[in-house]
């Protein structure tokens, strides 16, 4: 029941499964049980930055999760990597310790789906592997279309452990795949789940909408909008500046600076922690302020909201 | 300090029920100030350092054994008080694991859980239970997994499936309901099952609360206190049994209200379940008579002010209207007009005799 529960993990194995794919098997550092997780859940790993910079917080979907056997993730080396995936590919070794968040699921299977249509692109295969494992166990109706670079088709076939009689299709490139026809052919009650490049996920959403699918039947991977850019908080009445880190809330930063401020739910719903803004532009993420109050820009809920401006001045 | 479990209490018929002095002092008095209105009064359900009802994930108090017996009786009389829709199977096992893990962690002298792969052994000393079973295989337990474990916890529980941008109440156990029916509510959405509550919908309370609840994460549970009043220490105030308890309200008088009217507080907790992504909602009911509560000077003062100024729609919804005047007149003697401190603490270490 500790808050912001941090898991201390140890790398049990790390294997290259393709030139830019590495599978990492994590267990509890102390050998204890890990929290179970639903298919679609992700964890956020704290990965060291080169030369003592601020660590990276990268989210990865759990390919498998077992309290005793541990967690598996697959990490794609990103060309644009600032260092997170590069560290996993080039430095991470068995025995390394890593901190992680507890699993969190923003990409859950829908309990009332008559059929699950899974559409993955590239590294978006990771939740699909977890979904297929679960749906097989349940004996549920599903169909998977996975797009892979031609050179990786064999790798993905092995990851999905293709079985005869199942509707699992691995397409060599996106051109080999007719999205609109696929969505149009689905029976009533089908839910579609997509994970992959933004263009693919946007395409699935747009095609489904054009075909009249209910929004509630279309699901895309989401790691949530936790954290953001760092900014400076100036407490005008107290005359202090507080640096708010990217992975820290404004409320946590105020508390860490030793300033006593009331709070209750810490989730943007109760209104107790509301503070007055005198300068700067809040980025509102709460469920409390009305549109009019947001427009006026004079109030902010520091437990969840952030700042669009480099400095936010509070009248406290 | 080890809890001494009462063994001869009843919550119906002859109503043999009472709180020890410790039980009164740890009572979760629900009013943080001298007035009451609906709000999103959720907060993180973190374990308090001090002893009391917030010190454990699932509080076990002196009424544990007798309350479990009362709830077993309610289930024997009406087995439909526990029902779980078929798609909540994973949530049933999640609930079993969470409650067993939490009880064993918080009360290692009373409860123990041993796990080897899927072979688990559960020990509940107060109820004399020692059960080996296979996790995930319902045939190895004497009841379905949700019912099995909720019979061994105080309070009721519901299971919420999260889908379509809302929560659906798709299972639960209602043996100690404050006039709500699981059979009526099961399958409803969050806004549907809260439909009868006055004032709060218009104030946006349920819209905000739903957004908060849907974002509750595994390992970061939340809680709030809710309250109503009940004549006699009766846990089972179900709509199905209204004829058995509803008429009691007509029997309250200035002479008996102090001993016969009970403040009924629900410690409501919400836990994200890891395998099912469902939310477990705990509704843990505490009962204390006006006579008990007014032994605490701050609570006597505050109770008078809250009840005197209560919005009539809330009084009506909570079923207080018929005896509201008698209640306020009775409580007036405990209000000397002195100020009260903010928050729910009793502000005393020992009860006056």
């Amino acid at each position: 029941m500790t808050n912001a529960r941090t898991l201390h993990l140890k790398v049990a194995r790390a294997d290259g499964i393709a030139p830019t794919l590495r599978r990492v098997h994590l267990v509890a550092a102390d050998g204890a049980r890990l929290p179970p997780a639903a298919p679609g859940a992700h964890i956020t790993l704290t990965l060291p930055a080169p030369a003592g910079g601020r660590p990276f917080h990268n989210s990865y979907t759990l390919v498998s999760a077992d309290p005793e056997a541990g967690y598996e993730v697959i990490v794609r080396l990103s060309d644009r990597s600032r260092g997170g995936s590069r560290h996993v590919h080039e430095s991470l070794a068995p025995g390394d310790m890593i901190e992680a968040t507890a699993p969190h699921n923003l990409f859950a299977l829908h309990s009332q789906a008559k059929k699950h249509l899974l559409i993955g692109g590239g590294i978006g295969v990771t939740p699909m592997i977890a979904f297929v494992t679960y749906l097989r166990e349940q004996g549920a109706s599903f169909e998977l279309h996975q797009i892979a670079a031609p050179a990786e088709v064999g790798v993905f076939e092995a990851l999905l452990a293709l079985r005869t009689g199942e509707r699992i299709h691995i397409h060599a490139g996106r051109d080999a795949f007719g999205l609109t026809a696929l969505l149009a052919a689905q029976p009533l009650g089908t839910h579609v789940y997509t994970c992959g490049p933004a263009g693919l996920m946007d395409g699935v959403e747009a095609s489904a909408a054009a075909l009249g699918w209910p929004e509630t039947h279309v699901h895309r991977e989401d790691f949530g909008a936790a954290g953001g850019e760092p900014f400076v908080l100036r407490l005008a009445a107290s005359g202090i500046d507080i640096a708010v880190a990217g992975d820290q809330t404004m409320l946590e930063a105020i508390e860490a600076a030793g300033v006593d401020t009331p709070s209750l739910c810490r989730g943007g719903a109760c209104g107790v922690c509301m503070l007055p803004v005198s300068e700067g532009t809040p980025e509102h993420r709460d469920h409390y302020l009305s549109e009019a109050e947001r427009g006026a820009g004079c109030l902010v809920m520091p437990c969840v909201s952030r700042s669009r401006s480099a400095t936010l001045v509070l009248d406290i | 300090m080890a809890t001494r479990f009462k063994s001869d209490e009843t919550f119906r018929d002859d109503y043999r029920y009472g709180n020890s002095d410790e039980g009164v002092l740890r009572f979760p008095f629900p009013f943080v100030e001298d007035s009451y209105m609906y709000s999103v009064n959720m907060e993180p359900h973190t374990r308090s350092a001090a002893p009391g009802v917030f010190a454990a994930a699932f509080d076990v108090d002196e009424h544990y054994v007798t309350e479990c017996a009362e709830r077993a009786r309610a289930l024997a009389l009406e087995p439909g008080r526990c029902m779980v829709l078929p798609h909540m199977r994973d949530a049933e096992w999640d609930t079993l694991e969470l409650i067993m893990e939490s009880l064993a962690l918080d009360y290692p002298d009373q409860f123990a859980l041993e796990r080897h792969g899927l072979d688990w052994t559960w020990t509940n000393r107060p109820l004399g239970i020692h059960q080996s079973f296979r996790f995930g295989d319902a045939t190895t337990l004497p009841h379905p997994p949700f019912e099995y474990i909720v019979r061994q916890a105080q309070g009721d529980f519901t299971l919420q499936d999260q889908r379509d941008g809302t929560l659906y109440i798709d299972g639960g156990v209602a043996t100690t309901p404050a006039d709500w029916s699981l059979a009526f509510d099961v399958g409803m959405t969050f806004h549907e099952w809260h439909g009868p509550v006055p004032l709060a919908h218009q104030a946006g309370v349920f819209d905000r609360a739903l957004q908060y609840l849907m974002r509750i994460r595994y390992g970061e549970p939340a809680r709030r206190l809710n309250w109503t009043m009940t004549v006699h220490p009766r846990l089972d105030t179900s709509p199905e049994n209204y004829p058995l308890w509803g008429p009691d309200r007509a029997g309250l008088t200035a002479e008996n209200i102090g001993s016969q009217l009970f403040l009924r507080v629900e410690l409501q907790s919400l836990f994200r379940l890891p395998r099912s992504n469902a939310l477990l909602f705990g509704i843990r009911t505490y009962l204390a008579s006006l006579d008990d509560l007014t032994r605490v000077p701050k609570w006597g003062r505050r109770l008078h002010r809250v009840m005197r100024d209560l919005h009539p729609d809330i009084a009506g919804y909570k079923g207080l209207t018929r005896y509201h005047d008698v209640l306020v007149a009775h409580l007036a003697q405990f209000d000397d007009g002195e100020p009260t401190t903010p928050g729910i603490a009793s502000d005393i270490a020992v009860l006056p005799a």
Side-chain angles (χ1 to χ4, degrees):
Chain A
M1 223 164 54
T2 34
N3 277 333
R5 189 167 166 161
T6 300
L7 302 176
H8 299 275
L9 304 177
K10 185 172 75 176
V11 178
R13 286 197 307 279
D15 311 305
I17 54 174
T20 62
L21 294 175
R22 197 160 198 222
R23 178 164 53 199
V24 180
H25 189 128
L26 300 158
V27 295
D30 61 0
R33 295 172 66 91
L34 288 172
H42 67 273
I43 55 175
T44 303
L45 300 181
T46 302
L47 299 166
R54 283 195 70 83
F56 300 103
H57 298 280
N58 288 13
S59 295
Y60 298 104
T61 300
L62 295 170
V63 169
S64 70
D66 181 273
E68 293 185 1
Y71 298 155
E72 270 184 315
V73 298
I74 298 175
V75 177
R76 165 83 80 190
L77 177 63
S78 165
D79 293 338
R80 299 184 305 276
S81 174
R82 295 168 301 150
S85 71
R86 188 160 301 282
H87 174 83
V88 170
H89 273 260
E90 294 173 2
S91 307
L92 200 71
D96 284 4
M97 299 296 179
I98 297 186
E99 284 190 357
T101 60
H104 186 41
N105 196 354
L106 297 173
F107 193 36
L109 291 170
H110 193 284
S111 67
Q112 305 302 303
K114 303 291 181 245
K115 176 185 172 183
H116 303 270
L117 176 65
L118 313 175
I119 301 175
I123 191 61
V125 73
T126 52
M128 303 306 159
I129 297 170
F131 287 154
V132 165
T133 305
Y134 181 82
L135 294 169
R136 276 176 179 154
E137 281 171 14
Q138 301 294 308
S141 172
F142 74 92
E143 178 174 348
L144 167 63
H145 292 264
Q146 175 66 41
I147 300 161
E152 288 183 346
V153 168
V155 176
F156 283 28
E157 283 176 352
L159 283 172
L160 288 158
L162 299 191
R163 297 179 186 181
T164 53
E166 285 184 340
R167 284 178 290 184
I168 295 183
H169 308 277
I170 300 185
H171 305 280
R174 194 164 162 189
D175 296 342
F177 170 65
L179 177 60
T180 302
L182 175 68
L183 290 171
Q186 296 306 312
L188 208 63
T190 303
H191 282 246
V192 62
Y193 308 79
T194 183
C195 179
L200 172 69
M201 297 196 289
D202 291 346
V204 169
E205 284 186 334
S207 298
L211 288 165
W213 282 54
E215 269 179 44
T216 52
H217 288 216
V218 182
H219 311 272
R220 67 188 280 169
E221 189 202 43
D222 180 7
F223 288 154
E229 293 302 313
F231 60 97
V232 173
L233 197 57
R234 179 163 298 151
L235 308 188
S238 323
I240 40 177
D241 282 6
I242 298 172
V244 182
D247 59 348
Q248 188 182 33
T249 68
M250 217 191 294
L251 181 61
E252 287 167 350
I254 294 170
E255 289 170 342
V259 177
D260 197 21
T261 188
S263 69
L264 186 64
C265 79
R266 303 180 82 90
C270 74
V272 169
C273 70
M274 185 162 66
L275 293 173
V277 176
S278 53
E279 276 180 64
T281 311
E283 180 194 340
H284 297 291
R285 294 183 182 179
D286 63 276
H287 320 293
Y288 187 84
L289 296 176
S290 66
E291 282 308 312
E293 287 169 323
R294 288 180 180 212
C298 298
L299 296 167
V300 69
M301 313 296 299
C303 62
V304 290
S305 297
R306 303 192 68 81
S307 178
R308 291 194 193 286
S309 48
T311 302
L312 191 68
V313 184
L314 300 182
D315 199 10
I316 60 169
Chain B
M1 189 177 63
T3 301
R4 269 182 72 91
F5 298 117
K6 292 173 179 270
S7 58
D8 62 347
E9 286 184 319
T10 56
F11 299 85
R12 58 178 75 209
D13 305 326
D14 57 351
Y15 296 115
R16 294 196 312 275
Y17 170 90
N19 289 300
S20 65
D21 283 9
E22 294 74 26
V24 174
L25 285 173
R26 78 197 297 282
F27 189 81
F29 189 75
F31 303 113
V32 296
E33 56 189 2
D34 289 353
S35 61
Y36 176 78
M37 180 43 69
Y38 292 118
S39 65
V40 182
N41 58 334
M42 306 289 313
E43 61 181 330
H45 187 34
T46 44
R47 288 180 173 86
S48 64
V53 301
F54 300 140
F58 301 98
D59 180 41
V60 169
D61 68 10
E62 60 186 344
H63 310 293
Y64 176 75
V65 173
T66 50
E67 184 180 330
C68 287
E70 158 63 20
R71 296 177 60 243
R73 185 163 173 195
L75 285 166
L77 291 169
E78 295 167 71
R81 295 292 193 89
C82 184
M83 71 177 102
V84 182
L85 299 184
H87 62 271
M88 302 304 279
R89 197 184 60 94
D90 286 346
E92 291 201 47
W93 288 104
D94 275 335
T95 303
L96 176 139
E97 177 173 45
L98 174 68
I99 294 179
M100 286 185 177
E101 265 186 349
S102 302
L103 290 178
L105 177 69
D106 287 323
Y107 306 97
D109 296 342
Q110 309 288 6
F111 304 93
L113 177 62
E114 273 184 63
R115 289 178 280 194
H116 303 285
L118 297 176
D119 293 316
W120 293 22
T121 299
W122 167 243
T123 304
N124 177 334
R125 293 193 182 87
L127 297 184
I129 293 170
H130 189 76
Q131 176 78 45
S132 293
F133 63 100
R134 192 158 173 84
F135 187 85
D137 181 355
T139 65
T140 59
L141 286 170
H143 294 287
F146 176 82
E147 181 175 344
Y148 177 78
I149 196 60
V150 298
R151 281 170 172 267
Q152 299 178 50
Q154 288 175 266
D156 284 329
F157 295 89
T158 62
L159 289 171
Q160 279 66 229
D161 190 26
Q162 184 162 326
R163 60 178 196 268
D164 305 339
T166 187
L167 297 167
Y168 288 82
I169 179 166
D170 282 348
V173 61
T175 52
T176 67
D179 203 5
W180 66 276
S181 166
L182 180 66
F184 185 74
D185 287 353
V186 75
M188 286 189 183
T189 66
F190 183 80
H191 280 78
E192 287 169 348
W193 86 72
H194 286 111
V197 182
L199 306 171
H201 288 273
Q202 298 85 321
V205 165
F206 290 114
D207 295 333
R208 296 202 300 275
L210 176 63
Q211 293 306 317
Y212 181 80
L213 300 183
M214 290 198 300
R215 285 165 178 77
I216 288 178
R217 299 177 63 133
Y218 173 79
E220 299 179 26
R223 68 170 172 243
R224 69 182 284 256
L225 296 176
N226 194 17
W227 69 276
T228 185
M229 288 187 155
T230 300
V231 185
H232 302 306
R234 185 176 177 94
L235 284 174
D236 179 17
T237 49
S238 58
E240 288 87 346
N241 284 331
Y242 186 82
L244 297 181
W245 57 270
D248 291 346
R249 294 192 285 221
L252 287 178
T253 64
E255 289 69 41
N256 67 19
I257 195 167
S259 61
Q260 292 195 5
L261 187 63
F262 286 70
L263 182 61
R264 179 185 190 109
V265 174
E266 292 175 350
L267 168 49
Q268 302 181 341
S269 54
L270 287 137
F271 296 81
R272 176 70 59 193
L273 299 176
R275 294 176 182 81
S276 57
N277 203 42
L279 272 181
L280 176 69
F281 180 49
I283 311 155
R284 170 77 153 84
T285 295
Y286 296 84
L287 293 166
S289 66
L290 298 184
D291 284 351
D292 277 346
L293 294 171
T294 52
R295 292 173 70 192
V296 177
K298 170 179 162 182
W299 293 353
R301 290 181 188 110
R302 179 163 292 168
L303 208 49
H304 172 247
R305 295 168 199 176
V306 168
M307 293 304 153
R308 179 192 63 200
D309 302 336
L310 193 63
H311 193 292
D313 291 359
I314 298 179
Y317 176 64
K318 293 182 184 287
L320 277 53
T321 308
R322 174 182 273 272
Y323 54 82
H324 186 253
D325 290 347
V326 183
L327 171 65
V328 174
H330 173 77
L331 291 171
Q333 64 186 298
F334 304 102
D335 188 356
D336 55 9
E338 289 295 307
T340 55
T341 56
I344 67 175
S346 68
D347 294 348
I348 53 174
V350 179
L351 275 187

